[in-house]
Amino acid sequence: MKKILAFLVVLVSLPIFAQNFNKVKIDSLFQVLETNDKYMGSVAVLENGKIIYTNAIGKEDIVSNKKATARTKYRIGSISKMFTSVLIFKAIEEKKLSLNQTMEGYFPSVENATNITIGNLLNHRSGIYNFTSAPDYEGYSAQPKTRKEMIAIIAKGKSVFEPNSKGDYSNSNYVLLSYILEEVYKHPYSTLVQTKIAKPLGLKNTYFGGKISIANNECYSYSYTDKWNKETETDMSIPMGAGAMVSTPSDLTQFIEALFSGKLISAASLEQMKTIQDKYGMGFFQVPFYDKIGTDIPEESMGFVRHCPIFQKVN
């Protein structure tokens, strides 16, 4: 029996394996968290391809006091990287790209472009500086940026190590991968996600984000100190495939189930995605959980706090 569990706002997608699912205990856990103001978010459990449980606590919008529901849509941050990686592997399977292909033809202004491969971008071994770590990032994060402007920002950051010498997390990698996909397919990244992933899987609440719309059941991002504080709303033209997707727990469980059951890319491509080198895979990184080792999609910036751990086991 296989179940997939997803949490949002701090978003987790976690396959759990047990012979009995205890709805009462799960309800009780979320009631305690809500009563003590320790968590806001949503949860969905998928078993054998069907959603068997949903729940939501907290608010979509604190100002209007609008409660979160199972239909609440969240900015999923770096979980977007999994979508981007899937699209890249689709392009590879269609013979439009290769993992060993270097990027000087796309971004000649980026340092070491002649030595940085598509694979290096995917598994964070490019050496390209993480633009969201720059001191001036917060100053422009809410402002729309063009492709030309973003490439200039990334190129300005230079390299922090030689390509493929080690792994180090950089949102820059996946922004550039987004632009490569747009160049290869001659369509916007947002269209590619819809035509190649969301529509084929019937994911009606998964899409490239824009300005947050409470009327469309989209949730603001919040952090907690002594109270819940609204986070700065990043303009989605900046993170692109590094962090611009919107989704729900129910859609994400179905996306992950489809990915791991071979409905999106081949088993060989998935294995490459999951292969860990210096902590990073291609869209994943390694995360321990008690005696288990799983994969995760981390978020280290851009105003998001998101994690999507995935553990596989068969009873």
Side-chain angles (χ1 to χ4, degrees), residues 76 79-87 189 197 206 252 255:
I76 64 173
I79 298 168
S80 305
K81 290 179 174 65
M82 191 191 295
F83 287 82
T84 302
S85 184
V86 167
L87 290 173
Y189 178 88
I197 298 177
T206 299
L252 284 173
F255 165 67

Side-chain angles (χ1 to χ4, degrees), residues 2 254-265 270 312:
K2 181 167 76 171
Q254 293 177 77
F255 165 67
I256 293 167
E257 189 276 335
L259 173 60
F260 278 78
S261 61
K263 297 174 184 175
L264 288 171
I265 56 177
L270 177 62
Q312 289 184 290

Side-chain angles (χ1 to χ4, degrees), residues 60 66 69 71-74 204-220 246-248:
E60 282 184 12
K66 185 178 181 182
T69 71
R71 297 184 301 277
T72 298
K73 303 166 191 173
Y74 300 85
K204 297 180 180 180
N205 298 302
T206 299
Y207 49 86
F208 188 93
K211 185 73 174 176
I212 293 173
S213 171
I214 296 301
N216 192 34
N217 295 319
E218 295 176 3
C219 183
Y220 288 109
V246 170
S247 191
T248 65

Side-chain angles (χ1 to χ4, degrees), residues 13-25:
S13 181
L14 171 63
I16 58 173
F17 305 86
Q19 292 187 354
N20 297 295
F21 177 75
N22 194 319
K23 179 181 182 299
V24 174
K25 285 188 176 181

Side-chain angles (χ1 to χ4, degrees), residues 167-183:
D168 194 15
Y169 189 89
S170 175
N171 286 300
S172 303
N173 295 319
Y174 278 75
V175 173
L176 296 179
L177 286 169
S178 307
Y179 296 147
I180 290 173
L181 286 165
E182 291 185 331
E183 182 70 22

Side-chain angles (χ1 to χ4, degrees), residues 207-242:
Y207 49 86
F208 188 93
K211 185 73 174 176
I212 293 173
S213 171
I214 296 301
N216 192 34
N217 295 319
E218 295 176 3
C219 183
Y220 288 109
S221 295
Y222 294 93
S223 60
Y224 188 85
T225 50
D226 56 337
K227 63 178 182 178
W228 291 103
N229 304 290
K230 185 188 291 187
E231 293 291 314
T232 300
E233 187 174 334
T234 302
D235 190 275
M236 295 305 215
S237 63
I238 294 173
M240 292 292 291

Side-chain angles (χ1 to χ4, degrees), residues 17-194:
F17 305 86
Q19 292 187 354
N20 297 295
F21 177 75
N22 194 319
K23 179 181 182 299
V24 174
K25 285 188 176 181
I26 295 294
D27 283 341
S28 176
L29 168 63
F30 283 104
Q31 183 60 55
V32 170
L33 291 172
E34 185 168 34
T35 299
N36 291 279
D37 208 18
K38 296 296 185 182
Y39 177 80
M40 293 202 301
S42 305
V43 57
V45 178
L46 181 142
E47 178 182 359
N48 297 326
K50 295 182 179 180
I51 300 292
I52 62 169
Y53 178 82
T54 60
N55 200 348
I57 62 175
K59 304 290 194 300
E60 282 184 12
D61 178 34
I62 289 178
V63 174
S64 64
N65 203 36
K66 185 178 181 182
K67 283 186 61 64
T69 71
R71 297 184 301 277
T72 298
K73 303 166 191 173
Y74 300 85
R75 290 184 166 197
I76 64 173
S78 270
I79 298 168
S80 305
K81 290 179 174 65
M82 191 191 295
F83 287 82
T84 302
S85 184
V86 167
L87 290 173
I88 289 290
F89 275 100
K90 278 183 171 292
I92 290 171
E93 291 175 2
E94 294 170 11
K95 310 298 183 185
K96 295 180 180 294
L97 292 172
S98 71
L99 286 178
N100 294 324
Q101 179 179 342
T102 53
M103 50 176 271
E104 70 273 12
Y106 298 103
F107 315 110
S109 62
V110 175
E111 188 175 11
N112 289 327
T114 56
N115 297 318
I116 297 170
T117 66
I118 299 293
N120 295 154
L121 294 173
L122 283 167
N123 64 7
H124 297 286
R125 298 180 66 82
S126 70
I128 299 173
Y129 181 68
N130 181 18
F131 74 94
T132 61
S133 298
D136 63 344
Y137 170 71
E138 294 296 333
Y140 68 80
S141 64
Q143 304 166 8
K145 294 292 182 184
T146 65
R147 169 179 171 151
K148 182 178 180 180
E149 288 173 325
M150 284 306 302
I151 292 173
I153 287 170
I154 291 170
K156 179 183 176 182
K158 302 295 184 179
S159 291
V160 293
F161 57 84
E162 287 299 308
N164 206 34
S165 62
K166 65 175 184 177
D168 194 15
Y169 189 89
S170 175
N171 286 300
S172 303
N173 295 319
Y174 278 75
V175 173
L176 296 179
L177 286 169
S178 307
Y179 296 147
I180 290 173
L181 286 165
E182 291 185 331
E183 182 70 22
V184 165
Y185 284 107
K186 307 303 180 186
H187 288 292
Y189 178 88
S190 56
T191 300
L192 296 175
V193 170
Q194 287 302 306

